[in-house]
Amino acid sequence: MAATPHVAVVGAGIVGSAIALELARRGAQVTQIDAGGRRASENSFGWINATWLNRDDYFRLRHFSMGVWRALEGRVPGLAPRWVPSLLWDLEEGPLRNYVSGRGAMGYGLRLLERDEIARLEPGLAVPPPLAALGEEEGYIDAGLAAEALRKAAAAEGVRPVAEEAVSVGPGTVRLKGGDLVTAGAVVVAAGRGTGTLTGLPVDEVPGLMVLTTPLRARISHMLAPPELLVRQDDQGRVLCGGEAGGSRIDRDGDAIAADLVERVRGLFGERDIGLERVIIGYRPVPADEHPAIGPLPDLPGVYAAVMHSGVTLAPGVAQLMADEILDGTDSELLGPFRPARLL
């Protein structure tokens, strides 16, 4: 590419903003196009992890990005991940032991804990499990605030925001709803569900329901992953929880799902007076095979896609790897299994 390449980034959620910032910091001229509206980042559990539900190549990509999160911390004002370990017991004993030994052998910070130590670490649990995996490297972030911090940092690096909807992309071009055409040396489409509309990739928008409870008396010092539940506590003592990291699947009445989640939190801590404060519904983009689609589009030269779940874990790592590819022409081994061409 040219000495001062111009890259148009479509999307201003956590992924698009991380990419825009990384490109600008490495000398590119960047235009970031986004009309606002609903973003997946804003209603996310925000778990930064490479936990057990990942095949090996996806684990490696996620684990790499976790390291980039730590390197990025302190370089972006307002970006404040909380490195709170997880306690996971959403597995039978055999698979749980295999998870700890297998991922531990791949360099992931894990320890197997027994009931007495779990009870000591989390005395508020009504019935501590007999075994749990301690995820020592993990944490969480408020993804909406993180995306905002990344957008502000990108603007400070000279990224030019365009508050308009992109309606089509082509080699070196983005057509805006008002009719204007943005031209650039490369185009990155990181628009969540809109990435499918603009590129032809099969991307679903999957809703997930979480609840925020009234404050617990107990203080939780870990993220907790008991069977079919994920729990973390905020500074006010309230609990954010869903049936999984993307929220509970909305396969029945939302009020019934919310009531069930609150009841499960009551049982987990033995606190019957916990109530429902708020229901949160997030919409996460998920490519057809449920793995990221990152990299060049075969029929649109110079156009790259970046759509994934989990965008929270992957955003900074993907930003770094995509900048390597776009600005330096370096093919990423980590991204190799996740090229968009496999879905077209």
Side-chain angles (χ1 to χ4, degrees):
M1 293 189 68
T4 306
H6 180 200
V7 184
V9 177
V10 181
I14 195 168
V15 174
S17 296
I19 292 169
L21 174 60
E22 182 69 16
L23 289 166
R25 282 186 162 172
R26 292 169 61 169
Q29 176 188 353
V30 181
T31 300
Q32 187 172 22
I33 301 162
D34 187 85
R38 185 176 71 200
R39 299 188 181 104
S41 312
E42 293 166 356
N43 289 317
S44 166
F45 188 84
W47 190 10
I48 301 171
N49 75 88
T51 191
W52 68 274
L53 268 176
N54 299 296
R55 68 192 200 200
D56 287 356
D57 52 8
Y58 192 31
F59 164 81
R60 284 189 285 269
L61 177 60
R62 292 175 71 111
H63 197 205
F64 166 79
S65 194
M66 290 172 68
V68 180
W69 262 117
R70 290 185 180 272
L72 191 64
E73 186 179 5
R75 296 179 59 207
V76 176
L79 196 67
R82 296 199 175 188
W83 300 109
V84 176
S86 69
L87 279 173
L88 181 148
W89 63 99
D90 187 19
L91 288 168
E92 298 293 333
E93 179 178 345
L96 185 65
R97 289 184 181 277
N98 290 339
Y99 163 56
V100 172
S101 61
R103 287 292 183 249
M106 295 177 72
Y108 200 44
L110 288 171
R111 284 198 295 129
L112 194 66
L113 305 184
E114 297 186 349
R115 191 189 305 274
D116 288 349
E117 189 169 4
I118 298 165
R120 181 179 61 78
L121 292 173
E122 290 294 350
L125 288 172
V127 182
L131 286 174
L134 178 70
E136 298 173 299
E137 299 181 44
E138 296 172 6
Y140 70 88
I141 195 163
D142 184 314
L145 293 180
E148 182 180 357
L150 291 165
R151 287 192 294 271
K152 288 180 178 178
E157 292 286 343
V159 172
R160 182 174 74 93
V162 174
E164 194 167 348
E165 182 182 354
V167 295
S168 66
V169 297
T173 62
V174 181
R175 177 75 64 182
L176 304 179
K177 189 173 184 179
D180 289 342
L181 193 68
V182 176
T183 60
V187 175
V188 178
V189 186
R193 174 65 178 87
T195 302
T197 303
L198 292 169
T199 66
L201 287 169
V203 179
D204 292 327
E205 189 173 59
V206 179
L209 185 149
M210 297 185 294
V211 300
L212 186 67
T213 74
T214 56
L216 289 176
R217 292 187 298 276
R219 294 302 302 176
I220 309 171
S221 55
H222 299 74
M223 288 179 293
L224 305 177
E228 300 182 352
L229 192 63
L230 191 61
V231 170
R232 67 172 170 85
Q233 191 175 40
D234 69 13
D235 292 338
Q236 288 75 48
R238 302 174 300 183
V239 166
L240 179 67
C241 70
E244 53 185 272
S248 296
R249 297 182 182 183
I250 305 177
D251 53 4
R252 53 195 170 102
D253 178 70
D255 290 342
I257 297 171
D260 179 61
L261 287 170
V262 172
E263 184 61 29
R264 290 161 71 184
V265 173
R266 289 171 179 155
L268 189 63
F269 297 101
E271 294 190 24
R272 301 307 306 169
D273 54 348
I274 298 168
L276 173 66
E277 181 167 312
R278 183 157 58 98
V279 173
I280 301 164
I281 297 178
Y283 295 84
R284 63 192 191 276
V286 180
D289 65 358
E290 300 187 0
H291 284 91
I294 307 167
L297 292 162
D299 297 328
L300 293 171
V303 179
Y304 298 77
V307 60
M308 64 208 73
H309 178 73
S310 161
V312 170
T313 295
L314 293 176
V318 164
Q320 185 177 108
L321 297 172
M322 289 195 77
D324 290 342
E325 294 196 337
I326 294 167
L327 301 180
D328 303 332
T330 304
D331 284 337
S332 167
E333 183 179 347
L334 285 171
L335 295 181
F338 306 106
R339 298 307 191 186
R342 75 183 191 279
L343 299 173
L344 294 172

